[in-house]
């Protein structure tokens, strides 16, 4: 099929299907001799080429989206990155990210690679959709993060602007909406590194102890006192950086653990995820 045999209607149809530009669609149909499937493959390959060309670029903007199932038993969080905030604020880009979050929520993926392999629409996988978006937008697009939690009760919090989101899992299902939201917002605001003291990894502990020792050394404290002083500073770290020991942001006279106990002595948080683009 020659270029003249490709109608404007065909070009527009391909544009509606793929979202690619008019000239790109016309070129794709020309290269594919009018075959729509082959033209879509051509555009996807163009996307792959664009992705390769932009692989060294930073994709630090984007959207963070968390969703929970209607029964509150599962929560997911994804990050779809792009290069500019202009693209992140685009309505169509937001719809793509939202669809990917829904696929994550309704699918059984346990890892980012498994999520990318799931169908986005028809035979088009999420990974293929990312490549398609690269070709359409011309920026580096990357599905960089996938987190999920399952428990008796799972809640999510999306901070306005979709640059920050959290998932929190509880050990009981009769958590009030207010308490659940309070904890999800606590995680968002205070960015804990672990759930409780025993959950802090050894590398983080060693770093905090060394920092505490060096601070005390700089203050002129005797060498034999450094370990004790560092351990004291470690307790402060636990209070600031582990969720259950943090001061409740709505009432700093109580910890999160105490706040939960006031609701139900057996209620606690069993896991959380927090992802921020900033």
């Amino acid at each position: 099929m020659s270029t003249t045999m490709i109608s404007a209607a065909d070009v527009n149809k391909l544009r509606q299907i793929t979202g690619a530009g008019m000239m790109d669609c016309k070129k794709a149909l020309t290269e594919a001799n009018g075959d729509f499937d082959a033209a879509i493959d051509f555009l996807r390959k163009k996307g792959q080429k664009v992705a390769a060309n932009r692989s060294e670029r930073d994709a630090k903007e984007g959207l963070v989206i968390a969703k929970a199932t209607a029964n509150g038993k599962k929560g997911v969080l994804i990050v779809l990155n792009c290069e500019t905030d202009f693209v992140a604020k685009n309505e169509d880009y937001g719809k793509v990210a939202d669809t990917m979050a829904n696929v994550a929520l309704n699918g059984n993926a346990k890892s980012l690679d498994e999520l990318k392999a799931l169908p986005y629409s028809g035979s088009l996988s999420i990974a293929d959709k990312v490549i398609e978006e690269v070709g359409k937008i011309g920026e580096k697009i990357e599905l960089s993060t996938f987190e999920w939690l399952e428990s008796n009760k799972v809640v999510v919090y999306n901070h306005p602007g979709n640059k920050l989101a959290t998932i929190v899992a509880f050990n009981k299902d009769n958590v009030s909406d207010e308490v659940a939201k309070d904890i999800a917002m606590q995680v968002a605001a205070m960015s804990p590194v672990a759930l409780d003291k025993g959950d802090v990894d050894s590398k983080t502990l060693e770093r905090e102890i060394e920092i505490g020792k060096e601070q005390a050394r700089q203050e002129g404290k005797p060498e034999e006192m450094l370990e004790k002083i560092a351990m004291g500073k470690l307790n402060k770290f636990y209070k600031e950086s582990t969720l259950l020991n943090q001061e409740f942001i709505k009432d700093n006279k109580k910890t999160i653990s105490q706040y939960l106990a006031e609701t139900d002595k057996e209620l606690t948080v069993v896991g959380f995820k927090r992802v921020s683009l900033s």
Side-chain angles (χ1 to χ4, degrees):
M1 181 179 286
S2 68
T3 304
T4 56
M5 293 176 65
I6 297 170
S7 68
D10 286 338
V11 173
N12 188 56
K13 180 181 176 182
L14 184 61
R15 184 172 181 269
Q16 293 299 317
I17 293 171
T18 65
M22 294 292 285
M23 294 306 296
D24 287 334
C25 288
K26 185 176 181 180
K27 182 178 180 181
L29 283 167
T30 301
E31 292 290 334
N33 294 317
D35 185 313
F36 273 83
D37 288 336
I40 291 170
D41 285 342
F42 177 86
L43 288 170
R44 199 167 295 161
K45 288 174 182 176
K46 177 179 180 292
Q48 290 174 327
K49 184 178 180 181
V50 173
N53 289 343
R54 304 185 78 87
S55 62
E56 299 303 316
R57 302 289 294 269
D58 286 332
K60 294 182 178 180
E61 295 293 337
L63 298 173
V64 185
I65 299 176
K67 289 179 177 282
T69 53
N71 64 5
K73 302 298 182 184
K74 177 183 178 182
V76 300
L77 185 158
I78 67 143
V79 179
L80 185 64
N81 290 107
C82 54
E83 293 180 37
T84 64
D85 193 45
F86 176 79
V87 167
K89 290 178 178 178
N90 180 274
E91 184 179 353
D92 289 339
Y93 186 82
K95 289 178 180 177
V96 170
D98 192 68
T99 299
M100 289 182 179
N102 283 328
V103 172
L105 187 65
N106 297 315
N108 294 312
K110 305 298 183 185
S111 69
L112 182 59
D113 285 341
E114 288 182 13
L115 175 58
K116 288 179 179 179
L118 292 179
Y120 175 86
S121 176
S123 61
L124 186 72
S125 72
I126 283 184
D128 287 338
K129 182 60 178 176
V130 170
I131 292 170
E132 187 177 276
E133 286 296 293
V134 173
K136 173 184 172 183
I137 296 170
E139 285 194 4
K140 181 178 180 180
I141 308 296
E142 181 182 13
L143 182 63
S144 63
T145 304
F146 168 52
E147 301 285 359
W148 61 276
L149 286 174
E150 289 182 331
S151 191
N152 292 313
K153 175 75 172 180
V154 179
V155 298
V156 300
Y157 169 71
N158 290 283
H159 193 67
N162 290 109
K163 303 295 184 184
L164 164 66
T166 63
I167 315 174
V168 179
F170 297 87
N171 64 330
K172 304 182 77 173
D173 59 10
N174 60 342
V175 188
S176 74
D177 291 342
E178 181 183 0
V179 170
K181 185 179 180 181
D182 280 344
I183 303 304
M185 292 183 71
Q186 175 85 20
V187 173
M190 301 307 293
S191 187
V193 300
L195 183 59
D196 207 347
K197 294 178 181 179
D199 301 307
V200 181
D201 66 87
S202 58
K203 187 176 181 180
T204 299
L205 287 178
E206 289 170 6
R207 185 179 71 247
E208 290 300 319
I209 290 171
E210 283 306 310
I211 290 172
K213 285 182 178 179
E214 185 57 30
Q215 287 175 343
R217 189 176 287 115
Q218 294 295 325
E219 293 168 1
K221 305 297 184 184
E223 199 69 23
E224 62 272 17
M225 293 291 292
L226 298 186
E227 186 77 24
K228 184 177 180 180
I229 293 170
M231 296 310 292
K233 289 180 181 290
L234 190 61
N235 286 328
K236 182 181 179 183
F237 167 79
Y238 286 138
K239 290 178 180 178
E240 293 176 346
S241 302
T242 59
L243 177 61
L244 294 178
N245 301 291
Q246 283 182 338
E247 293 178 350
F248 181 32
I249 53 175
K250 286 188 174 181
D251 183 354
N252 61 15
K253 293 180 180 178
K254 63 183 73 169
T255 65
I256 290 298
S257 184
Q258 290 168 338
Y259 172 60
L260 292 171
E262 287 178 357
T263 304
D264 180 337
K265 289 184 179 180
E266 296 178 352
L267 178 63
T268 192
V269 177
V270 294
F272 70 86
K273 302 291 182 181
R274 179 188 187 277
V275 176
S276 173
L277 289 181
S278 57

